[in-house]
Amino acid sequence: MTRKAADPGPTATTTRDEDEAEYRRWTPEEVIELQLLPYRSVRVLKRLCYRRAIHHHLDGGRITFTPEDLRRENERTAVVPFAKA
């Protein structure tokens, strides 16, 4: 009788990818290139970071963005529709 190896299935791979994505950090150049935030130039994005106007990290003096930073910034800049009474 042969023994079959346990198949981790797609959920194990997805979980690992999701875990790795939480540790991903983007530079301001990547954020602009991938359009992860609604800013059009790296200069404007960096200026807002220097003013501490948006969520970011300073890793060794370099500006980086985590997925949580991007979520917070998108939530902060979201427009809430007016409710009709």
Side-chain angles (χ1 to χ4, degrees), residues 5-56:
D7 182 24
T11 55
T13 304
T14 306
T15 305
R16 182 175 180 212
D17 291 342
E18 289 172 358
D19 289 344
E20 289 177 1
E22 286 300 315
Y23 294 110
R24 173 78 166 100
R25 297 209 180 215
W26 289 274
T27 63
E29 292 80 8
E30 291 172 324
V31 170
I32 297 300
E33 181 183 328
L34 298 172
Q35 298 178 353
L36 300 174
L37 290 175
Y39 304 104
R40 294 186 177 208
S41 76
V42 175
R43 180 179 171 191
V44 169
L45 187 58
K46 284 184 176 183
R47 186 182 304 151
L48 290 169
C49 290
Y50 294 142
R51 292 181 184 173
R52 297 180 184 225
I54 62 174
H55 296 279
H56 67 284

